[in-house]
Amino acid sequence: MKKIEAIVKPSKLKAIQAGLIKIGIPCMTVVPVKGVGLQQGFPEIYRGTEKSIVLLSKVMIICVVSDENLEKCIDVIIETGSEGKVGDGKIFVYDVLDAIRMRTRTRGDDAIR
Ligand SMILES: Nc1ncnc2c1ncn2[C@@H]1O[C@H](COP(=O)(O)OP(=O)(O)OP(=O)(O)O)[C@@H](O)[C@H]1O
Ligand SMILES: [Mg+2]
């Protein structure tokens, strides 16, 4: 199993969620976050208020998926969440040791499908 953390533009959340549902990945956790990438918020805010320390609002979408579903999950997030511009977002991938559905004590891949 792998954990995907996709830090994306808030305006893309609905399209990404719809895309993931369409390929059979309906479970996710969404966290509002603030962050900056390489450009330190510039030029995403160059028409906005000038601030000395820039943190832009983003959403972090967390999905735990089977190894088999990893690449299609990444593809859908990129296809539905990108504009081809600076600040589109970033995806991090982690190994997951185990998952446990509390109701049934089901573990591993069976707990995430
Ligand atoms: N190395 C990192 N560590 C932790 N969070 C990061 C890192 N890089 C980016 N992020 C998070 O991802 C968000 C989106 O980053 P962003 O898309 O601007 O990445 P980038 O590397 O600057 O790429 P681009 O050149 O396309 O803008 C940031 O606002 C931040 O929250
Ligand atoms: Mg950037």
Side-chain angles (χ1 to χ4, degrees):
M1 285 176 291
K2 298 283 190 275
K3 174 179 164 181
I4 295 170
E5 285 181 2
I7 304 170
V8 300
K9 289 180 182 292
S11 61
K12 299 294 179 186
L13 175 60
K14 278 191 175 169
I16 294 170
Q17 183 178 13
L20 289 173
I21 289 169
K22 210 179 275 181
I23 60 161
I25 299 177
C27 305
M28 65 174 62
T29 301
V30 176
V31 190
V33 294
K34 289 193 180 286
V36 285
L38 274 183
Q39 294 79 15
Q40 295 289 287
F42 181 91
E44 271 197 86
I45 58 124
Y46 73 107
R47 287 196 183 88
T49 317
E50 201 180 323
K51 290 177 187 159
S52 52
I53 299 171
V54 175
L55 285 169
L56 300 174
S57 291
K58 302 281 176 179
V59 294
M60 184 178 354
I61 300 171
I62 302 168
C63 294
V64 176
V65 299
S66 63
D67 289 4
E68 186 194 333
N69 279 342
L70 176 66
E71 290 305 324
K72 67 176 180 177
C73 186
I74 291 170
D75 283 345
V76 163
I77 293 170
I78 293 170
E79 282 158 18
T80 55
S82 312
E83 294 173 353
K85 290 185 196 153
V86 158
D88 272 349
K90 197 166 272 181
I91 300 172
F92 298 98
V93 179
Y94 308 84
D95 280 320
V96 172
L97 281 183
D98 206 354
I100 301 130
R101 179 176 290 118
M102 290 169 64
R103 175 171 57 86
T104 54
R105 294 181 179 262
T106 315
R107 299 185 80 129
D109 275 345
D110 288 337
I112 57 164
R113 65 176 162 228

